[in-house]
Structure formats: C-alpha cells, structure tokens
Amino acid sequence: MSKAMTSSFWKANGLSLVLLAIFLACLVGQWLAGWMVWNDELQRNGWPALHLVEYARSGHFLSATFENWESEFLQMGMYVLLTVWLRQRGSAESRPLDPAEEHEEIKAGPKPWPLRVGGLWKRLYATSLSLALLALFAGALVGHALGSLAHENALRAMEGRPSLTLLQFIGDAQFWFESLQTWQSEFLAVLVLVVLSIFLRQDKSPESKPLEAPHSQTGG
C-alpha cells in the first residue's frame, strides 16, 4: 500500500480506528486488572488462581464486560428511536421543532442495495440502525445474565452455599441492581449532552451547534 493510499485510508477512517484502539486498550486493561483482582480474592478464600486465558472465561470478567456493553447499546438504541419522535428546543442533538426546517442532503451516487431491491428489504433497512443496536443490547443482556450467574455461583461455592439457576438469578435483586445502576448512568449522560448542547459549544464538532448560533436554534 502506497504512502498516499495509507494517508487517505487514515484520513477517511481515523475516527473509527482511534475509537477501536482506545476500546481495545481499555478492554485489555480491564482484563489484566480484573485478573489480578479476582485471583487475589480466590487466593484469600483458599482457591487456586486462574491463568489469564481462564480468567477471560470467568463470570467475573464476562459479567463486568457484558453489563457495561448492555447499558451502552440500550442507551444508543433508545436514543436513536426517541430522537425520531421527540424534540428538545435549542439542542444540537434534536431535530428541528418545525418539520419545514428539516432538509436532507443526499449526494449523487448509487443507492444502498436494499433501496434498489425495495419491499421488505427497504422496510428493514429503514429501521436497521435501531434494530441492530437493540439486538446488540439483547445479546449483551444475555451475556451479562450468564456471566453474572457464573460469578454469583463462584462466590456461593466459596461460601458453601447452593448454586442458583438462571431463572432464580434473573429474579434476584442482584441482577437488576447491576443492570439498573448502569442504565441510569447512561441515560443521565445522554440527558446532560442534550441539555448542555443548548448553551455550550465545541468548535468544529458535529455534536455542537455553530459558535454564533442562538441558544434557541434547534439542530446543527
């Protein structure tokens, strides 16, 4: 790959590549830190330590990972859906209050294939973003439940208590405490962004209105 092609690739995909790199760095950091924390707890209770790969399959790691992914995908899926119907005057995160002020800029080029095929594919494509995010949320929710169940049963084994089934664990307050503590923080973060973008600016960011835009202006 030539230097010009490499430069063009980075320029065209820089945001996703940097976010991916940050995500992987944080995930590896979580993996290593969690491995040390869990092994410390195991050894204090007279249980053998886990190898690093074994830890990646443990309930301690899976529960913490999927619990956070679950809340992120729920937040983004609900936000995508709510902004279809609801408005916030002056927020850069909202569509205009007046439908007449809305306009879509569509550049010349081939349409995505679901639009060319039409029918059911077109209808699915019209809601594909929210469907994908909510499907990811459902998958993460299942991963969280299974990981937390494994972690809870590991703790119970240390204490000599009987294990729980999946249905028993889902009906337990612990599972919902883990979920709701992350859900509320995600929706708080979105609320703060929606409200702060009315009054505050970040020059050149698509999440902000232009610097000179009045506070009452809705949309970017």
Side-chain angles (χ1 to χ4, degrees):
M1 184 179 292
S2 69
K3 184 176 180 180
M5 291 178 64
T6 302
S7 175
S8 177
F9 176 79
W10 274 97
K11 183 176 181 180
N13 302 281
L15 180 59
S16 58
L17 290 171
V18 169
L19 287 172
L20 176 61
I22 295 172
F23 160 70
L24 292 175
C26 292
L27 183 62
V28 171
Q30 175 202 335
W31 182 18
L32 294 173
W35 174 57
M36 291 185 283
V37 168
W38 183 233
N39 275 343
D40 181 62
E41 184 166 354
L42 288 173
Q43 292 176 324
R44 280 190 286 106
N45 285 276
W47 287 62
L50 298 179
H51 296 298
L52 191 57
V53 175
E54 290 178 316
Y55 173 70
R57 300 192 296 265
S58 72
H60 187 268
F61 178 75
L62 295 176
S63 173
T65 301
F66 283 114
E67 178 185 336
N68 285 284
W69 291 5
E70 165 198 321
S71 63
E72 296 293 343
F73 292 133
L74 174 65
Q75 175 219 72
M76 296 307 299
M78 291 301 299
Y79 186 53
V80 167
L81 285 174
L82 290 175
T83 52
V84 173
W85 301 294
L86 304 178
R87 308 287 187 272
Q88 174 57 56
R89 182 184 300 277
S91 176
E93 297 296 309
S94 172
R95 294 166 59 190
L97 298 181
D98 184 356
E101 297 179 9
E102 291 193 274
H103 64 279
E104 292 182 331
E105 180 183 354
I106 302 177
K107 296 183 178 180
K111 294 181 179 179
W113 70 265
L115 299 184
R116 298 196 299 271
V117 174
L120 176 61
W121 288 112
K122 180 179 180 180
R123 291 195 295 273
L124 287 173
Y125 187 67
T127 56
S128 56
L129 178 57
S130 58
L131 288 174
L133 288 169
L134 293 176
L136 288 167
F137 160 70
L141 181 65
V142 172
H144 171 208
L146 295 176
S148 288
L149 174 64
H151 181 54
E152 175 65 20
N153 283 338
L155 294 175
R156 285 172 167 265
M158 291 181 193
E159 300 168 358
R161 294 189 293 157
S163 297
L164 296 176
T165 66
L166 180 59
L167 287 178
Q168 287 174 323
F169 182 68
I170 291 176
D172 188 77
Q174 177 64 29
F175 174 70
W176 294 107
F177 172 71
E178 293 174 359
S179 291
L180 291 170
Q181 68 175 322
T182 55
W183 294 4
Q184 56 86 11
S185 65
E186 297 298 339
F187 285 106
L188 174 62
V190 172
L191 172 63
V192 168
L193 178 61
V194 167
V195 174
L196 289 184
S197 69
I198 299 173
F199 308 104
L200 305 180
R201 307 287 187 270
Q202 178 57 56
D203 197 19
K204 303 297 189 291
S205 173
E207 301 302 317
S208 170
K209 293 182 292 189
L211 293 181
E212 299 182 4
H215 293 328
S216 61
Q217 178 177 319
T218 299

